[in-house]
Structures are given as structure tokens and as C-alpha cells.
Amino acid sequence: MGHSYKSELVGVFGHPVAENPTIVMLEAAFKELNIHWRYLTIEVLPQDLKEAISGMRAMQMKGINLTIPHKIEVIQYLDSIAEDASLIGAVNTVRKDKDRLIGENTDGKGFLESLKNDAKVNPKGRNFLILGAGGAARAISVELALAGAKQISIANRTASKGQALVKHLNDHTGTHSEFISWDGSISIPDTTDILVNATSIGLFPDVDEKPELNYDSIRKNMVVCDVIPNPPLTAFLYEASKRGAKTLDGLGMLVYQGAIGFKMWTGLEAPLPIMKDALSKEFGGESS
Ligand code: NDP
């Protein structure tokens, strides 16, 4: 008597979506906390996004993650957008507040939490060099600016995209930003405190690839971070650690952004070590 067979539903809409690993860490977290929640990995075609959002409202889903290609398009179907997500211009997490759907972005927040908790770095007053100007770079740079970074330099293969991000940061945040042209190998300026690879270079299966840099310009007092979660130890991080720099992998960012979403949806603290362990095993690494 009194048993409930109903699950609370969350998940991800994407296309393609089959390789999204978020289910692994979220289901591990639900199991650990013994709560009746389910994370569904759902294929949604671009032309069906509006109906999919109506469907999640109808089914009273507690929230949804958005991945390729829905992060920008989804904004028009939501009731409001958090300030940072609005500045980033993309939503990767929707949470339900009574009957309203609120758009959030946890990518940059996940990076920030990992930087603070795993690398013990406070971004306030520090100088960053970010490689890349795509979705991850945009989310990370906006959160770093909101957290009080002193300077954010952006290097990107396609100059126009890098320059647009620099202009956006200078126009909308108090942080000074500048563009570094990236054709051929670049050297890391001495003034850099934290170097971040926010490109997709090195992602499985291209595990031998790394950004074209003068790696000898990495100094041991720098903190070097990668957004690539799989494999956690990229060729880029390996080169940086050989030069004595402190390194931070992208697995931490992925786990923290999932943990932030978990708390937004359930109101509960996420079991971080369980989630990290589940993902590490999934990526074929050692469990911690
Ligand atoms: P985008 O496609 O939006 O951006 C990709 C970026 O990488 C662009 O700046 C692109 O430059 C650059 N790039 C790609 N290939 C090359 C190359 N061969 N040489 C130089 N630059 C290159 O992707 P996202 O920003 O959404 O994702 C980037 C990475 O971040 C992905 O690998 C993803 O897995 C990871 N990520 C990790 C998260 C985590 O939680 N750890 C969260 C979100 C993303 P250009 O503009 O010239 O094309």
C-alpha cells in the first residue's frame, strides 16, 4: 500500500544524441540517492523541437538538457532565460519552476566549479587565454567574466568568430578581452595565468591531436585546462604537465555541469564522486 510506480522524468533532446553520456552519471546519482527519477536520451529532429518542448510540458517533465543542434533554437519556446544563459546566447538545461520553463546554461558554471574545487583557482583578477570561440568557449568566457576575471584573450582559427566573442565580452561584461590571431603555432604570453583549450581538438577518437602551439612557452606557474572529457588525459594536457604546469581535465567540468543540473531539478546535492566514477568507468578509465 502507498507504493508509487510513477517516476519523475528528465533527459536530453538532441540530434544526434545516441552518444551523449549524461545518462550514465545522472542514473548513477538517482540510484545512489534512491529516488524515483529517470533520465531519458531522446532523439529530437530540428523541425520537431517546438512539439518536443510542448510534450515535455504535457508530461510534466521536471527538466531537459539540450545538445546539438537545439541550444539556441530552444530559447524561443521557453518562458524565461537566466541572465548568464542570455549573455551566452544558448541554453543547455531547462528547469521547471511551477508551470514555467526556465532556460539555464551549466557548461561555463561547470567549468568554473571544477576550476575552483579541483584546481583550487579563484578566477577573480586573473588573466586567461582561451583557445576556441565555439559554444564551450563562449559559455566559459562569459562565466569567467561574470566571476571577475581581469583579462580574457581569445585565440581562434576562424578570426571573425573569435573577434565577435571578444567584442561581445567587451560590450557586455567588465572584463577586458582581446583577440589573438591563430594561424600556425602561437606562443602563450608570459602574462597568462590560466590557459584553456575550448576547441574540440583531441576528442575521442582523435586522441593524438593537439592544438598547434609553441608548448615550450607554457610555464610551470600556469594552470592549463582542457574541456575535452574523453579521454580525460589529452595530448594537450600531457604536453602541459611535461612543462610542469598544473592541469585540469574536462571530466571535472562535465561532472560539475551535470551536478548543477541535478540540483536545479531535484533540489538535492549531487553525489559528485559517484557521478565521476560512473563516467570514468564509461570512458574506459580507472575508477577513482
Ligand atoms: P563548437 O563546434 O561550437 O566549437 C568548436 C571550436 O573548436 C571552434 O572554436 C573551432 O574553431 C575549434 N576547432 C575545431 N577544430 C579545430 C582545428 N582543427 N583547429 C583549430 N580549431 C579548431 O563546439 P563546442 O564549443 O560546443 O565544443 C567544443 C568541445 O568542448 C567539444 O569537444 C566538446 O566535447 C567539449 N565540451 C565539453 C564540455 C564538458 O563538460 N567537459 C561541455 C561542452 C563542450 P573554428 O571557429 O575555426 O571552427
Side-chain angles (χ1 to χ4, degrees), residues 120-131:
K120 310 288 178 211
V121 171
N122 181 348
K124 198 168 179 2
R126 313 299 292 274
N127 293 331
F128 289 79
L129 170 54
I130 297 179
L131 308 173

Side-chain angles (χ1 to χ4, degrees), residues 20-39:
N20 190 297
T22 312
I23 184 173
V24 173
M25 63 174 167
L26 268 292
E27 288 284 340
F30 298 151
K31 194 170 169 213
E32 174 69 12
L33 270 58
N34 198 19
I35 54 176
H36 293 286
W37 284 61
R38 280 282 164 279
Y39 189 94

Side-chain angles (χ1 to χ4, degrees), residues 68 71 92 106-108 110-111 131-138 140 155-159 161-162 182 197-203 209-212 226-230 249-258:
I68 296 169
K71 289 185 180 186
N92 77 337
T106 61
D107 281 339
F111 176 81
L131 308 173
R138 203 172 163 93
I140 288 171
N156 196 50
R157 175 180 61 181
T158 308
K161 272 176 71 183
W182 191 11
N197 174 37
T199 72
S200 44
I201 304 170
L203 184 66
E209 289 183 15
K210 54 181 188 285
E212 207 178 326
D226 208 329
V227 298
I228 302 293
N230 183 21
D249 69 41
L251 192 61
M253 173 179 173
L254 187 60
V255 172
Y256 274 105
Q257 66 85 23

Side-chain angles (χ1 to χ4, degrees), residues 28-103:
F30 298 151
K31 194 170 169 213
E32 174 69 12
L33 270 58
N34 198 19
I35 54 176
H36 293 286
W37 284 61
R38 280 282 164 279
Y39 189 94
L40 306 174
T41 302
I42 304 172
E43 192 86 35
V44 173
L45 298 178
Q47 63 269 30
D48 297 330
L49 182 61
K50 184 178 180 188
E51 283 76 17
I53 295 292
S54 298
M56 73 164 284
R57 285 186 198 265
M59 290 187 283
Q60 305 204 19
M61 290 179 75
K62 295 287 186 188
I64 201 80
N65 285 139
L66 286 311
T67 186
I68 296 169
H70 302 313
K71 289 185 180 186
I72 297 169
E73 286 304 308
V74 73
I75 290 174
Q76 60 191 307
Y77 306 125
L78 304 177
D79 300 308
S80 74
I81 309 295
E83 191 188 347
D84 58 344
S86 169
L87 263 181
I88 293 164
V91 161
N92 77 337
T93 303
V94 172
R95 67 180 169 86
K96 204 168 166 224
D97 181 11
K98 300 195 180 71
D99 287 335
R100 290 164 51 77
L101 296 183
I102 319 289

